[in-house]
Amino acid sequence: MARNEEKAQSMLNRFIAMKQEEKKKPKERRPYLASECRDLAEADKWRQQIMREIGRKVAEIQNEGLGEHRLRDLNDEINKLIREKGHWERRIVELGGPNYAKNSAKMTDLEGNIVDVPNPSGRGPGYRYFGAAKKLPGVRELFEKPPELRKRRTRYDIYKRIDASYYGYMDDEDGILEKLEGPAEDKMRAEAVREWMEVEEIKKEAKKGVKSGEVASVINVNAKDILFEEEEDVVEEERIREREKVEEEEMKRREFVVHVPLPDEREIEKMVLEKKKMELLKQYASENLLEEQMEAKSMLNIQQ
């Protein structure tokens, strides 16, 4: 029995294939310029052909194992076809057909969010990345959102939100402060009344002691509680003065005692004058003259 390859090479099969090719029309090439097309149906056909080519290349570019150079070439070819499709869509509108550009796809990032990449990589406006080309080095950064810069508030913005409540003028209207001040006020009033009662009791005991001639004794009472504010200030000042006197006496005790006699002012002035004389003599007199002067002083027994 003959194989399929042998059947295909037979004279009859080759004759039939030749006749079928003769009946076929020659393949039409897509016009280089969309403006050369005058028929709306032809323009729509060429647009559909470009769409099919774009679909095949987009499916191919999803493969990350193609390599960086092949991915970049595929992405360039897809963008070129997209530009050509735009020319045919404009030509279809000119010939009276529908406007396909209204419902065109938007550019999306790796997460599917629509992004606007106006002029990436200097390749002109509208350049898009597809499939694995979005993960290429230098392309991923285009889809990353820049960090949000926190705007610093100006002095005007700060003062714009300040009202009377900021300064405490509205605290009495909400009723919260009154609830807190009420118990505190009652507590302070009770303490003031108790202190006043203690002072009055002490005064009564003192008056009884003066009338009877006996010394009044009050148990468990601090002397400071009896004094009024002015008297307390006076006592406190006296205590401060006494403390300062004690500190001054201690400082005097700690003073350094010199066991060597120190020169007084006259002796210091005399020494300074002699030093200045010697400096002038060294400056204007010769060494021989100074030696003769020193010999004369030694002979005359002059110490100055």
Side-chain angles (χ1 to χ4, degrees), residues 226-240:
I226 306 171
L227 299 175
F228 295 97
E229 293 182 358
E230 296 180 357
E231 295 177 350
E232 289 180 359
D233 294 338
V234 172
V235 173
E236 191 66 27
E237 289 179 0
E238 292 179 355
R239 290 176 181 172
I240 292 170

Side-chain angles (χ1 to χ4, degrees), residues 282-298:
K282 288 180 181 179
Q283 187 176 359
Y284 296 104
S286 63
E287 294 180 359
N288 296 329
L289 183 61
L290 290 173
E291 289 178 359
E292 292 176 358
Q293 187 177 2
M294 293 296 291
E295 289 177 0
K297 285 183 178 181
S298 62

Side-chain angles (χ1 to χ4, degrees), residues 270 274 278 294 296-304:
K270 189 176 180 181
E274 288 293 332
M278 293 300 294
M294 293 296 291
K297 285 183 178 181
S298 62
M299 291 174 64
L300 297 172
N301 197 12
I302 298 174
Q303 295 182 357
Q304 294 183 354

Side-chain angles (χ1 to χ4, degrees), residues 259-273:
H259 300 282
V260 180
L262 297 175
D264 56 0
E265 293 182 1
R266 293 181 181 179
E267 292 178 356
I268 293 171
E269 290 178 359
K270 189 176 180 181
M271 292 170 65
V272 172
L273 185 61

Side-chain angles (χ1 to χ4, degrees), residues 1 3 15 18 51 64 76-77 85 91 94 96 108 111 116 120 122 136 150 162 189 204 206 234 270 279-280:
M1 188 173 179
R3 298 177 183 177
F15 177 75
M18 183 181 67
M51 292 288 289
E64 297 182 5
D76 292 339
E77 292 172 7
K85 180 175 70 75
R91 183 59 181 166
E94 291 174 0
T108 58
E111 299 176 357
D116 183 18
L136 292 174
R150 189 175 181 182
I162 292 176
R189 185 179 288 108
K204 289 179 181 179
V234 172
K270 189 176 180 181
E279 288 177 356
L280 291 172

Side-chain angles (χ1 to χ4, degrees), residues 44-248:
D44 200 356
K45 182 184 73 173
W46 298 128
R47 177 184 175 276
Q48 293 295 332
Q49 184 184 9
I50 294 170
M51 292 288 289
R52 286 192 295 272
E53 292 179 7
I54 291 173
R56 286 196 299 270
K57 292 185 182 296
V58 168
E60 185 180 358
I61 204 174
Q62 303 299 326
N63 186 5
E64 297 182 5
L66 294 175
E68 181 180 350
H69 298 289
R70 179 58 182 159
L71 289 174
R72 290 187 185 275
D73 293 340
L74 274 174
N75 203 77
D76 292 339
E77 292 172 7
I78 293 170
N79 279 276
K80 184 178 178 181
L81 289 171
I82 288 173
R83 287 197 299 271
E84 190 175 355
K85 180 175 70 75
H87 297 326
W88 284 105
E89 288 175 351
R90 285 192 291 272
R91 183 59 181 166
I92 289 170
V93 173
E94 291 174 0
L95 294 173
N99 187 5
Y100 295 104
K102 285 184 178 179
N103 300 322
S104 60
K106 302 294 183 181
M107 186 65 180
T108 58
D109 58 4
L110 295 173
E111 299 176 357
N113 301 320
I114 297 174
V115 295
D116 183 18
V117 184
N119 190 7
S121 306
R123 294 175 178 269
Y127 191 86
R128 299 182 180 183
Y129 291 93
F130 298 89
K134 293 180 180 180
K135 300 179 182 179
L136 292 174
V139 180
R140 185 186 293 271
E141 289 78 6
L142 297 173
F143 298 96
E144 291 180 356
K145 295 180 181 179
E148 296 182 359
L149 297 176
R150 189 175 181 182
K151 187 178 179 182
R152 186 177 180 181
R153 289 195 302 170
T154 60
R155 189 178 293 271
Y156 172 75
D157 295 334
I158 295 171
Y159 281 110
K160 187 168 64 175
R161 301 183 180 183
I162 292 176
D163 52 5
S165 61
Y166 176 81
Y167 295 100
Y169 294 123
M170 311 290 288
D171 292 345
D172 298 335
E173 296 182 2
D174 54 3
I176 298 173
L177 192 62
E178 293 180 0
K179 294 178 181 178
L180 298 174
E181 286 182 347
E185 187 177 355
D186 295 338
K187 184 179 179 181
M188 292 174 65
R189 185 179 288 108
E191 288 180 358
V193 170
R194 181 178 57 78
E195 291 177 359
W196 183 80
M197 294 292 290
E198 288 179 358
V199 172
E200 289 295 322
E201 187 178 352
I202 292 167
K203 286 181 179 179
K204 289 179 181 179
E205 294 291 335
K207 288 179 181 179
K208 290 179 182 179
V210 169
K211 289 179 180 179
S212 61
E214 297 177 355
V215 179
S217 61
V218 182
I219 302 170
N220 296 330
V221 177
N222 191 2
K224 188 178 179 180
D225 298 336
I226 306 171
L227 299 175
F228 295 97
E229 293 182 358
E230 296 180 357
E231 295 177 350
E232 289 180 359
D233 294 338
V234 172
V235 173
E236 191 66 27
E237 289 179 0
E238 292 179 355
R239 290 176 181 172
I240 292 170
R241 289 173 186 172
E242 291 178 358
R243 196 181 301 116
E244 289 177 354
K245 288 180 180 180
V246 172
E247 290 178 357
E248 289 178 359

